[in-house]
Every structure is written in structure tokens, then in C-alpha cells.
Amino acid sequence: MSNLFQNYNRWNLEIDSGEGAKVIDTNGNEYLDFTSGIGVTNLGHNHPKVKAALQQQLDKVWHVSNLFEIELQERVASRLTKHSSGDAVLFCNSGAEANEAAIKLARKHTDKHKIITFEQSFHGRTMATLSATGQEKVKHGFGPQLETFVHVPYNDIDALSKEMDVYTAAVMIEIVQGEGGVNPGNEQFIQKVEEMCMEYGILLIVDEVQTGIGRTGKPFAYQHHNISPDIITSAKGLGNGFPVGAMISKQALIESFGPGTHGTTFGGNPLAMATADAVLKIVFDEGFLDDVANKGDYLLSSLEKELGGCSFVENIRGKGLMIGIACTGEVTSLLPSLRQKGLLILVAGQKVIRLLPPLIVSKQEIDKAVGLLADEIRSKAEAAKV
Ligand code: PLP
């Protein structure tokens, strides 16, 4: 009998080691990893520079509390603010914690508590962030929730405008909804959200936990649109597997989080910061994100070429290396057979295949994954006809 809570539907597979976009299981089988630990190991497994940075820090000091000066935090914060609309950073340990911090900051700064989020959104599983999440399955059994979150349909400006008023503290949005089905926000919608936030004096929070740190081919996905959010949250790819989260905010909000208002024991500890510093140095380096955008286009066009006319596929969508293939039927049954052929992929909901390859994936690896995936989906389409 396992001594673990059974709160995950685990695959019958244990990873023993990894290198780049490949992992090897405990039986010695090799897989192409298009899951990246759900958008985390963006620089691939065992990245030499990230590993060296962590190893170097391991020999110096692991943890000191936030009562001390931590120069590495300054360095990581400077990289994050240089590449975003923010001016100051608060470090924590996960995406949910980054969103918790954003929710608390928005409430404290505005002295209001209504926050608008979107149907199908996902913001985490703490009490505040599951209340913020626009999916019933995440909330089920955990009521009563924080009642001041209002969910409106995504990409629907009329529905949003009906809820926006002077009592609203913030709008919290994913630029591409990840867990909710890889749904990209459309250009006009995203622009209008910002415009209306400005009109009513509402804070704009972008949840970049999954889309940030280069996943979509820009440092943060909101940068595909001409907007300047008040608060940005980040986690997942920031530590490439080392747990770390961050909330980045504009100057005007800084004074609302003075000493004693918010904090965490581990947030921003030297091990996390050494790792994040090495990750950001690589991701924000000249040319790296152009290459990601280029490979994202290549993946999307390869999938469209292979699966464009397939009756099982409704549409293929996404940004950069965050791609969803929306299908007409359930897709979880594809996962075991693809695993057997050496490809690890994800789903988002019942009918969307989700691909999150590492940002360092090669075009050859993309070709291999697309070939395996297209064969499997075409077989599924044929089977559905019989
Ligand atoms: N926000 C978004 C957009 C996410 O995709 C996730 C996790 O999938 C979270 C928040 C929660 O992050 P964590 O699991 O690190 O708490």
C-alpha cells in the first residue's frame, strides 16, 4: 500500500534521468519529453549552466532568511524588471503563492476586494487562488470560497464590461489559458481589457505562471500585445525545476507591501536565486527567444500540414512553444500508446492535446514528435469512422 495521498492520476512510469528534451525511465526506455514537467524544465533536463550555478551555490550557503541582504535576489529582480513592465519583485515558491501575493497586494493597495477572472482560467489551488480559478472541478468540495471573485467568459468584452466598476480592485488574466485548454486571448480583447482597467482605475494582473519566462517566444506573453500590466506573476520555468515563484509589480504599488505585510520563509532563498539567475541569463540572452518563436511557428505549421484535414482535429492553436490541438473527442486515450512509442505529451481537459516541449527542443525532435503524434491522431480518426 502506498503511503501517499492519492490526489494524482499518476502514469505508470518513473523517470530516472534526463538530458535536454529526453528522459529515460527506470527500465531504460527513452522518451521525448513534450511535457517539460508541465511547462517547468524549459531549458531541458540537466542543463549544464543551470546545474553548475546550483552546484556552486550548494557549496556556499543554502538558506538564509529574508532578514538578511541577499544580493542574488537583487540580481534576479533586476533581470525580471528589465524585461517586464514591473519595477519591484517579491519572491515566493510557486505559482499559487505568486498569485496569492498578487491578490493580497491588489486588495491592500486599492482597499477593494472584487477581482474579475475568467471562465476556464486556472490560478492555483490555495483557497484564494482556487476561488479565483474559473473551473468548477477545481473548486468542488472546498466551499465556501472567497466570494469576491467574479468569473466572466474569456475573450468576451461585453461580459467583462458589465462587471467592471469602481468597486473592482483588479482583473486577473492569463494571456493564453493553459490548464483551461490552451486558449489564446485575442488581440482586440487583451487591448480592451487594459483600456477598461485604466478607465475605471482597476489593476491589471497577468498570470504568467505558465506563459512566462520565454514559453511563448517573448519574456512574458503579454508582450505580444501592446499592454503594460500592473502586476505579473511567474513561477514554473523560472527555476527550471527548482521551486521558485515571483510577483513583479509597478513602482506605484510597492509602498502597499511594507515591512510585516507579506512574506514567506523560503521565498527567494540562495539556492532558488542562483538557479533563477542562471535560467534568466540564458532565456533573456540575445537571440534565444527569436529561436523559440521560430521553433513555435515551425511546430504549429508542421502540425497544420500533417493534421489540417484530419476529421478528428477541430483546430490547432497557441503561441510559441505552447500548443493545443483541440479535437472532436476525448484524447487521454492517446497518451499510453504515444508513451509506448517514446513520446510524452499532456492534455488540457478532455479534448485538447497540449504540447509544452522544452524551449531548447531541436527541429529534428519536433519532426519526430509531430510524426508520432500525427500517426496516432490519424489512427484515432480512422477508428472513429468505423
Ligand atoms: N497559474 C497558472 C496559469 C498555472 O498554469 C498554474 C499551474 O499550472 C498555477 C497558476 C499554479 O501554479 P503552482 O502549481 O506552481 O502553484
Side-chain angles (χ1 to χ4, degrees):
M1 191 197 107
S2 167
N3 290 117
L4 298 173
F5 272 97
Q6 299 299 303
N7 56 325
Y8 298 106
N9 276 319
R10 292 182 196 271
W11 300 346
N12 183 19
L13 176 65
E14 182 167 0
I15 304 299
D16 184 55
S17 63
E19 193 76 39
K22 296 196 181 110
V23 288
I24 295 174
D25 73 12
T26 44
N27 296 317
N29 302 308
E30 188 178 289
Y31 305 85
L32 204 43
D33 181 7
F34 270 44
T35 71
S36 303
I38 318 193
V40 171
T41 50
N42 287 359
L43 296 178
H45 299 277
N46 214 2
H47 191 288
K49 287 189 178 157
V50 180
K51 186 166 71 174
L54 183 57
Q55 276 174 339
Q56 211 178 5
Q57 190 59 44
L58 276 169
D59 286 337
K60 290 170 88 180
V61 64
W62 295 16
H63 178 84
V64 296
S65 94
N66 281 303
L67 295 171
F68 295 87
E69 300 285 347
I70 303 175
E71 175 55 29
L72 269 168
Q73 286 189 1
E74 295 287 350
R75 212 184 311 162
V76 178
S78 149
R79 292 192 196 280
L80 288 169
T81 53
K82 189 169 163 214
H83 290 90
S84 73
S85 59
D87 301 296
V89 182
L90 180 144
F91 291 106
C92 53
N93 312 288
S94 69
E97 275 186 54
N99 286 338
E100 279 280 341
I103 292 163
K104 283 179 72 177
L105 181 61
R107 281 179 163 222
K108 184 130 195 313
H109 185 76
T110 61
D111 202 19
K112 299 172 188 170
H113 50 240
K114 176 176 170 185
I115 296 182
I116 304 173
T117 66
F118 296 89
E119 290 174 7
Q120 297 311 315
S121 62
F122 184 80
H123 298 294
R125 290 179 183 273
T126 61
M127 276 314 299
T129 58
L130 76 81
S131 303
T133 292
Q135 298 187 47
E136 252 341 283
K137 66 178 186 200
V138 176
K139 299 167 180 286
H140 182 72
F142 297 112
Q145 291 152 29
L146 267 72
E147 61 207 15
T148 52
F149 288 97
V150 177
H151 312 308
V152 299
Y154 193 59
N155 278 330
D156 183 339
I157 203 69
D158 290 339
L160 178 64
S161 64
K162 285 193 188 110
E163 282 296 342
M164 287 181 108
D165 52 33
V166 291
Y167 306 106
T168 310
V171 170
M172 183 148 108
I173 187 168
E174 290 162 273
I175 301 297
V176 182
Q177 290 185 327
E179 302 301 304
V182 196
N183 307 313
N186 70 50
E187 175 73 28
Q188 229 187 347
F189 176 70
I190 303 280
Q191 299 270 344
K192 195 77 188 163
V193 171
E194 181 183 62
E195 223 176 278
M196 288 201 299
C197 280
M198 282 179 163
E199 195 181 317
Y200 287 100
I202 295 169
L203 295 174
L204 177 56
I205 305 171
V206 293
D207 178 345
E208 295 262 7
V209 167
Q210 191 160 148
T211 49
I213 319 297
R215 173 53 58 189
T216 70
K218 297 265 188 203
F220 295 97
Y222 79 81
Q223 291 158 338
H224 290 284
H225 307 279
N226 188 23
I227 63 167
S228 175
D230 299 293
I231 303 176
I232 303 149
T233 57
S234 175
K236 286 191 183 275
L238 182 55
N240 207 56
F242 199 99
V244 55
M247 177 191 67
I248 310 161
S249 115
K250 281 194 171 163
Q251 180 77 31
L253 282 78
I254 296 174
E255 64 185 27
S256 297
F257 260 6
T261 49
H262 190 63
T264 152
T265 299
F266 294 120
N269 93 359
L271 293 181
M273 292 297 98
T275 315
D277 187 47
V279 168
L280 295 183
K281 191 158 183 268
I282 296 164
V283 173
F284 295 160
D285 196 17
E286 180 114 18
F288 183 87
L289 290 176
D290 292 339
D291 186 48
V292 173
N294 182 280
K295 286 186 294 197
D297 291 345
Y298 182 72
L299 174 57
L300 190 66
S301 63
S302 306
L303 287 167
E304 275 163 353
K305 202 160 82 192
E306 289 289 332
L307 292 166
C310 178
S311 58
F312 188 64
V313 174
E314 256 175 22
N315 65 60
I316 307 171
R317 60 204 184 204
K319 258 278 179 267
L321 286 170
M322 180 172 181
I323 300 288
I325 306 170
C327 296
T328 57
E330 70 76 33
V331 289
T332 19
S333 58
L334 293 172
L335 299 191
S337 43
L338 279 167
R339 284 202 288 273
Q340 261 181 2
K341 290 176 183 140
L343 177 65
L344 306 179
I345 59 159
L346 295 162
V347 297
Q350 292 294 307
K351 294 184 178 175
V352 181
I353 293 168
R354 179 165 46 147
L355 305 179
L356 295 171
L359 309 185
I360 49 84
V361 70
S362 68
K363 286 197 170 164
Q364 289 87 332
E365 287 164 336
I366 291 177
D367 289 343
K368 185 173 172 198
V370 169
L372 290 168
L373 198 54
D375 283 351
E376 206 61 32
I377 292 175
R378 280 194 289 259
S379 315
K380 181 98 178 163
E382 282 309 309
K385 281 186 200 155
V386 189

